[in-house]
Structures are given as structure tokens and as C-alpha cells.
């Protein structure tokens, strides 16, 4: 077993790691937690050791002096050596009732908060994750419960349970518990809605994680961060509600000791100048509530690692990757991907639209095809559709064949197996694609064992180390958390996750966006090696034509949901045919650039795209028939095709009076 395996890590180091959030929290937060926890510990000692040490019980009003001889306690005796905090008018010992009242308070508080937490968290998690009708029903029900003032709701529940079951500790517990269910539900549901859209959850799905894995490991553990805070704050509230119920006579029934009830019985005593019967239960309530609140507030600063992770400085980059020599066993003759008439649609507030509208292309093993175009032209939608990772409400039509599976029509279980194993999606925004609560090793082990359940944990870690080495990350970093890596290293970790199961296809969506040129070059080198040595087909989605020139064989130019030109990189850069491609190439900045250029106008709305050529409103060569029907992709050169009526085969003969463009297209200067 390797030196860096968790199983061989010294216990002290592991404890050190586990307590890091606590250490990193501020001094004030730690002070709050320490002081609150000290008071709570004192009350716990009182509740559970007190009955063993103090000679009287909370419902005891006499003591046996001789066998068979009893002496009753004095009525309303002030504090003394015999009755430390005095006695009540019912001749009970006040300190004994404080002790037993603490036991009741902790019991009711623990059970009530546990009931609220289990029901609220479970319901909130499923409701937020599943959405739809279940969510609407649950939200309506919880909103209705939440609308009641807590004490009124607790009284109603205690009254009903008292009438139909029995009044006492059980009904008080449920009454207090029901009050807090909506709080857990609302917080957990809202966070689930947010976390399930997080990039690292989408990334987990892209690697083929099952729904229960995503819900359990990715959503639950990120959502559950706030539960301890709510729990401690609710516990403080629960003590107050219990006391209020007792004060009003709806809670724990006499003679069982309960602080709120005891205060209600002492109201007349205060008016008569007898202070000790009300003061001590009051102090007990205030102290315990304050202590629980302090712990809750302190935890609030400690338990959120997402916040702590922000602002971490980046780390130095590592050496360039060492090449792995093992070759894939797949049949190189088969296509890495075959896309036919792919359509990707969404419903929007303005109406339905097709972000990708009838796209077809092939991707061969070992080939890198660049998908370029302006923002919003459908590139990322197409990348996600290739692994059927659509946002809610997105629809996919057509055919995407990867390794013999039609991703569009295959059952979800089959597509899930394919993700990560046969095809991987590498996202932009590497800073947010890894679960901040999991070590890098956990990401690898989980993904590998999802696809290959028989792989042992040690084997999975070994595969992970090998993949990390391939992307130039020292294997000693395997147990680091994502926030301990720089942006470039995280992107390389994502790349290592993409290649650890040696997929035939990688869809890389802006993999170098927001990275500096050195890291960009490293990522591109790794992709280049993967396709050259392991015959991985790569679809590189980018708006950066410089990256395309460096890394790709072929280019597909997208405009307004359609491919308008495809061809070898050299032809596209040196001899672009479609006016839009010409505009794109002319807009590229190089060392020879003396004037910044852009294509005039904006892409059309895809809710209501132009009937004919979608580029017509911006095209300097537009002709009458361009606006009547769309041009088709036609051969315009060796392996080069363009959808433009300026070239034969697009559906209309070339107009005799229009010259095929040469030189720079008309572009507007900035
Ligand atoms: Fe321009 Fe017409 Fe070609 Fe469209 S089809 S790019 S409008 S010339």
C-alpha cells in the first residue's frame, strides 16, 4: 500500500486534517463555541449525574428519617444547606426540580429536534431534487405549516395529541418537533435546488454517477452543511417553546418537573416577595438557551467549507506530464462519434427554440474537431447533447452514435454507463466542477467504481495516480481537496478524471477558458498526446481560433444553431468560403493585426430565426433568394463544405453577376 494511502496515514495527521475547518475558523467563532459548549456540558452533567449525587428527587416532598418515619419538606423554605435553592409551595426541592427539569428539557429537545430534522431534511432533499408535482405539494404543505406562529402551532398539536393520545412528555415532544419541520424543509430544499445545478454535480453526472450517488454524496453532503447550525438554533428555540407550553399548561404535565410549568406556579410567589421559586428555573432556561445559541452562531462560521475555500491562493504549477505508453485496444476503424441531424431544443419565456438545428458530422478516433462560433450559437448545447446532459426542459432529437450506442434513444442506464467509460465531457470553469467536500482521490474512486464495481479501492487509487501523472500532477496530491489546487491544476484534475477510464471520445467545452497561456498550452499538449497516442477522438468547443490552429485537424463553424462550414484547419484559416467564416477569421487577432475587426450586427433570435440563410441579415453578399430558403452544405473544396448560395450545390446556381468573395470580407472596424 502506498505511502499516501489514507489507510496508512498516521492517526494524528488524519485528526489534524479533520479538525482543520475548526482551526481555520476565527477566534471569535471558537470562543462562542467553547463557552456555549461549556455551559451545555454543565447542564448535561447536572441532568445525568445530578440525580445520583443530590439526595432528593424533583417530585419528592418528604424524606424518611427513621424506618417508616417521614419528615415532609417545609413549604416555601428559602435556600439553605438542606435545600440548596429552597422549596416550593408544593414542598418540592427547587434544586431537585432544576435537575430533573434539565433531564426533561434535554430529552424533549433532542427527540423533537431529531424528528424535525429527519422529516424536514428528507422531505426537503427529495422535494428539491425531484421537483415537479411532489415538490409543489410539499412546498404548499410546508408553507401552510410555516404560516402558523410556532407557539400557536405547538399548542394546537399538544392539545390534539393530549386529547387523543395522552398529555405529557410524548405529546410535548411531537408538538415541539412539528414546529421546526418547515425550517429544515425550506433550507434544505432551497439549497438542494441550488446545489443540483452546481457544475460539480453536472460533472458527476457526466461521469455516469447514478441518481442516488449524486443525491447522497454530492447534493446531501453539500446541503447538510447548514443543518448543525439550524439544529443548535432550533434546540434553543425548542427549550423556549417547551417552557412556554409548560407555562400555559399544554406541555409536560405536573407533577413531572418542567421549568416553564414551575415558573407558572411561582407567579404568585414573586408577588409575595418569594424570589427563589421562579428565579432558578428562569436562570436555567436563559443559560441553556443562550449556550445553545452561542454554539449555533459559532458553528455558522465553522461548518461552511465552500466559503472557506474561496480566496485560497493558487499553487505553483507542476512539471509537464509524463507520457503513458499503453495504447487503447479499441478498433481504430470505428468512428469515435457519428452525429446525424441533431436538434436540441429549449422552452424559453419567449417561446420554444432550437439551439442546435439539424447538425451532422463524424469524428474519427484520434481526430480533433473544433467547433467554433460566437457565444450563443449552440456549441455548448451540442456538446452536452452528445452525452445527453441537458438542463431541465431541454429536448434532443436526431442521432448521436458513440461506441455503438445511440445516446439520444438509449435507456438512461446505458447512457450513464457510457459517460466516463466511453465518452467524457470536460467542462469550462474548472474552479467549480469538483465537489469541494471530497478529496481528489474520492472523485476518482467513486467514478471508477461506479463503472467498474469489481475494482478495489486500492486499484482505483492506483489508476487515479497514473491518470494524475499523465496530466502532470504529482500523485502525492491525490488526497488534497479541490481548493488546494490552482485553477490550472483543477482543470488538469478534471482532464485526469476524463481519461482515467480511457474513453474513445472527449468533448472538451472551452477547456482553457480563464486559464493563463502556459496552462492552456499544457492542457492542449495533453489533449494532443491523448489523440496521437491513444486515438481518443476530441470535440473541442471553443471560440478561440488560436487554440483551434494549435490543436485541431478539422473545424466545424456553427452559426445560429447550424453548421455553416466544415473543413481542414488549413483550409478554414487560409481559404475560408462562407462569409461568416471569413468574418470570424478576419476578426482573429494576430501579430500582423493592425486593426481590430468584428462582424457587423448580431446573431438572430433562435425563437424566430430568419426563414432563409440565417446569416443573411449580416451578410455583405446577401442576395434575394438567400432570404427565401436555407442553403445546404455543399462541397466547396477538398474536404471542405459550406452552406452558402455563393457556391454550387447549396441549392441555387451561383448568380452570374455576383463574384465569389476573395480577399477580406467587408467587416466593420471597432
Ligand atoms: Fe450570405 Fe447568401 Fe451565403 Fe447566406 S447564403 S452567407 S446570405 S451569400
Amino acid at each position: 500500500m502506498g505511502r499516501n494511502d489514507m489507510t496508512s496515514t498516521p492517526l494524528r495527521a488524519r485528526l489534524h486534517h479533520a479538525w482543520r475547518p475548526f482551526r481555520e475558523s476565527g477566534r471569535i467563532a471558537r470562543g462562542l463555541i467553547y463557552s456555549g459548549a461549556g455551559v451545555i456540558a454543565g447542564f448535561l452533567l447536572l441532568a445525568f449525574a445530578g440525580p445520583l449525587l443530590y439526595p432528593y428527587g424533583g417530585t419528592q416532598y418528604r424524606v424518611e428519617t427513621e424506618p417508616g418515619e417521614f419528615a415532609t419538606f417545609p413549604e416555601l423554605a428559602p435556600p439553605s444547606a438542606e435545600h440548596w435553592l429552597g422549596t416550593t409551595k408544593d414542598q418540592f426541592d427547587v434544586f431537585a426540580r432544576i435537575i430533573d427539569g434539565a433531564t426533561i428539557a434535554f430529552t424533549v429537545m433532542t427527540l423533537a429536534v431529531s424528528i424535525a430534522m429527519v422529516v424536514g431534511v428528507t422531505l426537503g432533499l427529495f422535494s428539491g431534487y425531484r421537483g415537479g408535482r411532489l415538490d409543489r405539494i410539499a412546498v404548499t404543505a410546508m408553507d401552510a405549516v410555516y404560516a402558523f406562529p410556532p407557539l400557536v402551532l405547538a399548542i394546537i398539536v399538544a392539545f390534539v395529541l393530549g386529547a387523543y393520545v395522552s398529555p405529557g412528555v410524548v405529546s410535548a415532544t411531537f408538538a415541539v418537533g412539528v414546529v421546526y419541520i418547515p425550517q429544515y424543509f425550506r433550507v434544505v430544499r432551497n439549497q438542494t435546488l441550488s446545489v443540483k445545478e452546481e457544475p460539480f454535480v453536472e460533472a458527476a453526472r457526466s461521469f455516469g454517477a447514478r441518481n442516488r450517488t449524486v443525491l447522497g454524496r454530492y447534493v446531501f453532503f453539500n446541503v447538510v452543511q447548514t443543518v448543525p447550525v439550524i439544529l443548535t438554533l432550533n434546540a434553543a428555540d425548542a427549550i423556549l417553546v417547551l417552557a412556554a407550553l409548560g407555562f400555559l399548561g399544554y406541555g409536560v404535565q405536573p407533577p413531572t418537573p418542567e421549568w416553564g410549568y414551575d415558573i407558572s406556579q411561582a407567579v404568585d410567589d414573586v408577588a409575595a416577595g418569594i424570589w427563589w421559586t421562579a428565579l432558578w428555573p428562569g436562570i436555567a432556561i436563559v443559560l441553556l438557551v443562550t449556550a445553545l445559541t452561542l454554539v449555533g452562531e459559532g458553528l455558522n462560521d465553522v461548518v461552511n467549507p465552500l466559503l472557506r475555500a474561496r480566496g485560497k491562493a493558487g499553487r505553483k504549477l507542476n512539471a509537464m506530464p509524463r507520457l503513458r505508453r499503453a495504447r487503447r485496444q479499441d478498433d481504430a476503424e470505428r468512428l469515435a462519434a457519428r452525429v446525424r441531424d441533431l436538434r436540441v431544443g429549449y422552452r424559453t419565456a419567449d417561446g420554444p427554440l432550437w439551439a442546435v438545428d439539424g447538425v451532422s458530422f463524424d469524428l474519427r478516433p484520434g481526430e480533433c474537431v473544433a467547433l467554433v462560433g460566437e457565444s450563443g450559437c449552440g456549441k455548448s448545447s451540442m456538446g452536452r447533447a452528445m452525452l445527453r446532459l441537458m438542463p431541465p426542459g431541454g429536448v434532443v432529437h436526431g442521432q448521436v452514435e458513440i461506441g455503438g450506442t445511440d445516446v439520444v434513444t438509449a435507456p438512461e442506464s446505458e447512457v450513464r454507463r457510457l459517460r466516463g467509460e466511453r465518452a467524457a465531457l470536460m467542462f469550462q470553469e474548472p474552479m467549480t466542477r469538483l465537489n469541494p467536500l471530497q478529496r481528489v482521490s474520492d472523485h476518482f474512486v467513486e467514478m471508477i467504481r461506479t463503472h467498474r464495481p469489481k475494482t478495489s479501492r486500492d486499484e482505483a487509487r492506483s489508476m487515479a495516480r497514473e491518470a494524475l501523472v499523465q496530466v502532470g500532477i504529482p500523485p502525492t496530491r491525490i488526497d488534497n481537496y479541490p481548493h488546494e489546487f490552482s485553477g490550472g491544476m483543477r482543470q488538469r484534475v478534471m482532464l485526469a478524471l476524463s481519461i482515467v477510464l480511457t474513453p474513445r471520445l472527449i468533448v472538451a467545452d472551452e477547456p482553457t477558458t480563464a486559464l493563463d497561456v502556459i496552462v492552456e498550452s499544457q492542457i492542449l499538449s495533453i489533449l494532443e498526446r491523448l489523440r496521437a497516442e491513444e486515438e481518443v477522438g476530441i470535440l473541442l468547443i471553443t471560440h478561440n481560433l488560436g487554440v483551434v490552429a494549435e490543436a485541431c485537424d478539422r473545424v466545424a463553424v456553427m452559426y445560429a444553431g447550424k453548421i455553416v462550414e466544415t473543413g481542414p484547419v488549413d483550409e478554414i484559416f487560409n481559404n475560408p468560403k462562407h462569409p461568416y467564416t471569413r468574418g470570424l477569421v478576419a476578426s482573429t487577432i494576430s501579430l500582423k493585426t493592425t486593426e481590430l475587426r468584428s462582424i457587423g450586427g448580431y446573431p438572430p433570435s433562435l425563437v424566430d430565426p430568419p426563414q432563409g440563410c440565417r446569416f443573411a441579415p449580416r451578410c455583405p453578399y446577401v442576395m434575394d433568394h438567400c432570404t427565401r430558403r436555407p442553403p445546404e452544405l455543399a462541397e466547396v473544396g477538398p474536404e471542405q463544405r459550406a452552406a452558402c448560395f455563393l457556391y454550387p450545390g447549396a441549392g441555387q446556381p451561383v448568380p452570374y453577376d455576383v463574384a465569389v468573395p476573395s480577399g477580406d470580407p467587408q467587416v466593420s472596424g471597432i
Side-chain angles (χ1 to χ4, degrees):
M1 193 174 295
R3 197 168 63 87
N4 298 293
D5 287 1
M6 276 300 291
T7 46
S8 63
T9 305
L11 179 64
R12 194 169 160 215
R14 292 173 65 177
L15 286 175
H16 181 81
H17 198 74
W19 278 97
R20 185 168 55 184
F22 190 72
R23 289 194 316 274
E24 288 176 356
S25 63
R27 220 179 257 177
I28 293 176
R30 288 203 302 275
L32 292 177
I33 294 173
Y34 283 141
S35 52
V39 174
I40 294 169
F43 270 100
L44 278 170
L45 200 66
L46 190 71
F48 296 102
L52 304 174
L53 302 175
Y54 198 64
Y56 311 130
T59 55
Q60 187 178 344
Y61 61 93
R62 61 183 187 174
V63 65
E64 193 170 21
T65 50
E66 301 277 335
E69 294 284 318
F70 292 93
T72 54
F73 294 159
E75 188 179 324
L76 293 175
S80 64
E82 193 173 349
H83 300 287
W84 294 2
L85 302 182
T87 61
T88 69
K89 63 185 167 206
D90 295 323
Q91 298 168 289
F92 295 137
D93 183 279
V94 173
F95 189 49
R97 288 188 71 80
I98 294 290
I99 292 172
D100 288 358
T103 311
I104 292 289
F106 275 113
T107 305
V108 172
M109 177 188 80
T110 307
L111 291 176
V113 169
S114 300
I115 290 169
M117 183 182 67
V118 170
V119 176
V121 169
T122 308
L123 204 56
L125 203 59
F126 278 99
S127 182
Y129 191 72
R130 296 295 297 271
R133 188 177 296 175
L134 168 74
D135 186 44
R136 286 196 294 278
I137 293 172
V139 168
T140 306
M142 288 296 138
D143 281 353
V145 175
Y146 196 66
F148 282 90
L151 184 57
V152 174
L153 182 63
I155 289 173
I156 293 170
V157 176
F159 181 78
V160 171
L161 288 176
Y164 292 99
V165 186
S166 86
V169 174
V170 174
S171 59
T173 301
F174 275 95
V176 176
V178 167
V179 166
Y180 298 110
I181 291 174
Q183 286 189 16
Y184 289 95
F185 171 83
R186 289 160 67 101
V187 170
V188 169
R189 175 186 172 269
N190 289 346
Q191 292 206 341
T192 302
L193 288 175
S194 161
V195 170
K196 79 175 185 180
E197 302 298 333
E198 285 285 341
F200 61 80
V201 174
E202 190 182 14
R205 285 203 197 99
S206 79
F207 290 133
R210 295 182 184 89
N211 264 340
R212 66 168 185 268
T213 306
V214 171
L215 187 59
R217 292 198 192 164
Y218 288 81
V219 178
F220 176 75
F221 281 110
N222 280 283
V223 161
V224 86
Q225 296 296 306
T226 49
V227 168
V229 180
I230 309 173
L231 195 142
T232 43
L233 295 176
N234 277 355
D237 278 356
I239 298 292
L240 287 174
V241 172
L242 177 68
L245 282 178
F247 188 88
L248 296 170
Y250 294 102
V252 177
Q253 296 298 302
T256 306
E258 196 279 313
W259 298 336
Y261 171 78
D262 284 358
I263 292 175
S264 76
Q265 295 303 298
V267 171
D268 292 341
D269 300 344
V270 175
I274 297 165
W275 53 269
W276 56 88
T277 50
L279 178 69
W280 302 118
I283 287 179
I285 292 170
V286 170
L287 273 180
L288 188 52
V289 168
T290 306
L292 287 165
T293 306
L294 288 178
V295 172
E297 294 296 341
L299 280 177
N300 201 20
D301 285 350
V302 174
V303 297
N304 194 339
L306 290 171
L307 291 175
R308 281 198 318 275
R310 286 179 194 146
K312 289 274 178 190
R315 302 289 196 267
K316 287 181 181 175
L317 295 176
N318 287 282
M320 285 295 288
R322 180 162 58 86
L323 299 186
R324 187 174 69 167
R325 300 300 172 196
R327 276 193 171 267
R328 293 176 45 81
Q329 299 299 311
D330 294 298
D331 179 5
E333 293 305 311
R334 296 181 64 185
L335 289 172
R338 181 174 185 272
V339 178
R340 289 293 176 272
D341 198 22
L342 186 67
R343 303 184 84 209
V344 182
Y346 303 103
R347 287 198 181 282
T348 70
D350 298 329
L353 62 81
W354 292 105
V356 178
D357 196 359
V359 166
S360 302
F361 66 92
D362 291 335
L363 183 60
R364 293 184 281 269
E367 184 181 40
C368 179
V369 172
L371 195 58
V372 301
E374 288 166 287
S375 297
C377 68
K379 304 188 301 290
S380 292
S381 288
M382 199 171 88
R384 281 168 171 71
M386 287 184 70
L387 275 82
R388 214 168 80 190
L389 282 168
M390 303 307 300
V395 293
V396 186
H397 294 306
Q399 187 186 28
V400 178
E401 193 181 309
I402 298 173
T405 298
D406 183 358
V407 174
V408 175
T409 56
E412 179 61 26
S413 57
E414 195 176 333
V415 177
R416 213 165 40 224
R417 277 197 299 278
L418 177 141
R419 293 179 197 138
E421 178 88 50
R422 310 278 300 171
L425 180 56
M426 189 181 166
F427 296 92
Q428 47 187 309
E429 306 157 19
M431 306 302 279
T432 56
R433 294 286 169 183
L434 295 165
N435 187 344
L437 301 181
Q438 286 191 325
R439 294 179 182 84
V440 163
S441 57
D442 297 330
H443 288 82
F444 278 98
V445 170
E446 181 181 305
M447 192 189 110
I448 292 168
R449 294 179 76 181
T450 296
H451 290 283
R452 300 176 187 174
K454 292 181 181 167
T455 306
S456 72
R457 195 175 171 78
D458 284 346
E459 286 169 342
R461 288 175 61 85
S462 170
M463 290 168 72
R465 277 193 285 268
E466 191 182 347
L468 287 175
V469 168
Q470 283 188 71
V471 298
I473 292 181
T476 49
R477 304 289 302 269
I478 191 170
D479 283 320
N480 284 155
Y481 282 89
H483 70 262
E484 294 173 302
F485 291 94
S486 66
M489 290 182 86
R490 280 195 222 188
Q491 189 60 299
R492 282 189 278 160
V493 170
M494 288 299 300
L495 186 52
L497 275 164
S498 301
I499 64 176
V500 70
L501 294 177
T502 56
R504 290 179 61 80
L505 168 72
I506 293 178
V507 178
D509 186 357
E510 303 278 10
T512 58
T513 298
L515 301 179
D516 63 58
V517 289
I518 296 173
V519 181
E520 176 181 285
S521 171
Q522 290 171 337
I523 297 285
L524 294 179
S525 296
I526 296 164
L527 290 176
E528 165 65 25
R529 182 180 54 75
L530 283 171
R531 69 192 190 93
E533 296 192 353
E534 305 194 23
E535 293 172 341
V536 177
I538 295 170
L539 180 67
L540 182 64
I541 297 170
T542 182
H543 62 269
N544 185 336
L545 295 188
V547 168
V548 175
E550 190 176 336
C552 294
D553 306 302
R554 283 194 297 140
V555 183
V557 182
M558 271 192 94
Y559 183 75
K562 289 180 174 294
I563 288 183
V564 295
E565 183 164 2
T566 64
V569 168
D570 285 350
E571 290 300 316
I572 293 292
F573 275 93
N574 297 321
N575 193 14
K577 295 292 197 299
H578 194 283
Y580 177 65
T581 313
R582 296 168 62 76
L584 266 188
V585 173
S587 308
T588 307
I589 298 171
S590 71
L591 291 176
K592 296 178 188 165
T593 302
T594 55
E595 180 188 5
L596 286 176
R597 293 174 165 184
S598 68
I599 304 170
Y602 298 96
S605 161
L606 294 179
V607 174
D608 184 22
Q611 197 180 3
C613 173
R614 295 185 176 186
F615 189 59
R618 305 170 75 185
C619 180
Y621 309 104
V622 62
M623 300 164 281
D624 281 349
H625 55 270
C626 295
T627 56
R628 291 194 200 112
R629 66 187 185 85
E632 291 162 17
L633 274 173
E635 291 287 337
V636 291
E639 296 187 51
Q640 192 173 4
R641 302 169 77 206
C644 174
F645 288 126
L646 290 171
Y647 303 96
Q652 287 278 348
V654 182
Y656 69 90
D657 56 346
V658 176
V660 174
S662 61
D664 280 355
Q666 293 173 21
V667 289
S668 56
I670 295 176

